[in-house]
Amino acid sequence: IHHVQSAAITKVNIIEYLQQVHLPGVLIIPLQVFLTREWVSMRPFWFFTILYLHVMFLAHRWAHMLPGENYKTVSWAQKHGLLLSMKHHVQHHKTYDCNYSIFMGWGDLVYNPLTKHLLHHESLLYLPLYALYCHLPSIIYMFCK
């Protein structure tokens, strides 16, 4: 739906929009917390991961809002590259083959060449790679135990 009506994410209630963050969080993070429960130093990591997910989703929403509609602090952060700007993100919605980052856009320095030279942007291989990435903390913990 988002790629058909990209501005729709700016019209939905903010709480309803953030609920989208909770599905992956509810599925992945409790498992990770359980698997790394003996690794006490991971607790702040999981706290900030949940916080990061919410800010990331908000940054994506703000990238779809016109500058005059955003908070002044958000517009400032977008202008200075601290949050994803509409100018950067709109290219993704033109071609769907670049600019996948939805937080700051910095990840596109890696993702864009990856999708251009290694994996096609419609490849399903991204799913197991994403799953591996999500479970990396537990995998590292198991090898460091």
Side-chain angles (χ1 to χ4, degrees):
I1 290 175
H2 172 65
H3 282 160
V4 176
Q5 295 179 311
S6 60
I9 66 172
T10 66
K11 307 299 182 217
V12 68
N13 177 294
I14 191 83
I15 301 300
E16 187 178 326
Y17 177 69
L18 286 176
Q19 286 174 347
Q20 297 174 31
V21 178
H22 296 291
L23 180 60
V26 165
L27 294 175
I28 295 170
I29 292 175
L31 173 64
Q32 299 300 321
V33 170
F34 175 76
L35 292 174
T36 61
R37 66 189 175 279
E38 295 172 12
W39 196 0
V40 177
S41 61
M42 286 297 289
R43 291 178 187 160
F45 172 81
W46 294 121
F47 171 80
F48 287 107
T49 296
I50 293 168
L51 181 64
Y52 171 82
L53 280 170
H54 285 79
V55 174
M56 180 180 67
F57 264 68
L58 286 170
H60 182 223
R61 177 184 167 111
W62 294 327
H64 284 274
M65 297 174 78
L66 297 171
E69 297 174 352
N70 266 329
Y71 301 102
K72 290 186 188 309
T73 52
V74 169
S75 296
W76 181 89
Q78 288 174 328
K79 182 180 176 183
H80 292 89
L82 300 174
L83 290 175
L84 184 66
S85 70
M86 178 183 267
K87 181 181 176 182
H88 180 85
H89 188 60
V90 76
Q91 185 60 41
H92 171 74
H93 287 279
K94 286 182 180 177
T95 62
Y96 301 112
D97 64 353
C98 65
N99 294 6
Y100 296 98
S101 296
I102 62 169
F103 188 29
M104 295 181 232
W106 300 352
D108 292 328
L109 296 171
V110 173
Y111 300 136
N112 288 348
L114 179 69
T115 56
K116 186 174 183 179
H117 301 294
L118 291 176
L119 286 175
H120 189 268
H121 67 279
E122 293 179 353
S123 172
L124 293 179
L125 190 53
Y126 285 106
L127 295 174
L129 290 174
Y130 178 69
L132 176 66
Y133 175 77
C134 288
H135 294 289
L136 203 54
S138 295
I139 293 168
I140 291 170
Y141 170 71
M142 288 178 196
F143 284 108
C144 294
K145 242 169 50 160

